[in-house]
Amino acid sequence: MWSAKGEGTDRKRSRTAKLFRQLAILLGALLAMAGLSAGPASASTGRGAATYSISQAPNGDRGAAGVAATTCTVGLSAPVRAGAAEVAVDYSVRCDQEVLGIAGFIAIFRGNEAVPLGATVDQFNFGLLGGGEQIKRPCASGVLYGKMRVVVNFKTGEPKTIDRTFFGPAANIAC
């Protein structure tokens, strides 16, 4: 015998998962068409990593007593040499509460060039709490930096989705 309550929950999860997959596919298509153009490089020059915060109130500006805001931390390192023939950038997104999904795109750019190294971007999907990865590209000399677009779909509160772009610290790389 089927439980109407369980069936409704499964349908909601299935619809949410389908919506998130469709959003990721749409973002991929849009970024592919736009070429994830670099725009002006506003990343600071230097070693290390940049840390950013994406925070959403439980009920928008009103807040709710006893309910904490969901905060996600975005990390993006400066490019480094990875062996003799590659450069790499570490990136991560981690949330302090479960969300519906964390996805986005990452690329490495040189200077003010509009096309990323290797003319490609990597897509990531970090699930419900987050994760971290590393992007590698063939080594290119010059001032390099990472650019990452992050989309977080929240379970509760407003806005339901936050979509932001982040620039990592720049580093002068010699190959």
Side-chain angles (χ1 to χ4, degrees):
M1 190 173 251
W2 290 33
S3 167
K5 184 177 181 181
E7 184 178 337
T9 302
D10 290 343
R11 282 186 186 167
K12 283 182 184 177
R13 286 183 186 152
S14 177
R15 280 185 283 193
T16 301
K18 183 178 179 182
L19 178 64
F20 188 71
R21 282 192 301 273
Q22 289 173 339
L23 176 63
I25 291 168
L26 176 62
L27 284 174
L30 289 173
L31 285 174
M33 288 187 300
L36 191 65
S37 58
S42 62
S44 61
T45 301
R47 294 280 179 212
T51 304
Y52 303 97
S53 181
I54 297 174
S55 188
Q56 177 235 27
N59 287 317
D61 293 337
R62 296 185 312 269
V67 179
T70 301
T71 300
C72 301
T73 303
V74 176
L76 193 55
S77 76
V80 295
R81 292 283 305 270
E86 293 181 311
V87 292
V89 170
D90 294 326
Y91 61 98
S92 64
V93 183
R94 289 184 171 66
C95 297
D96 62 359
Q97 297 183 59
E98 190 173 283
V99 295
L100 293 176
I102 303 166
F105 302 90
I106 178 85
I108 301 174
F109 287 91
R110 177 175 35 203
N112 284 327
E113 292 179 4
V115 178
L117 295 183
T120 60
V121 299
D122 286 1
Q123 183 176 351
F124 61 87
N125 183 344
F126 288 149
L128 306 178
L129 288 172
E133 292 287 336
Q134 184 179 70
I135 180 175
K136 288 184 179 180
R137 291 293 182 263
C139 196
S141 295
V143 176
L144 306 180
Y145 63 95
K147 180 179 178 183
M148 183 165 81
R149 183 172 180 183
V150 177
V151 179
V152 179
N153 290 315
F154 296 93
K155 283 186 165 187
T156 59
E158 292 296 329
K160 289 290 187 195
T161 300
I162 294 179
D163 180 346
R164 294 217 176 110
T165 301
F166 302 97
F167 293 89
N172 193 7
I173 301 293
C175 297

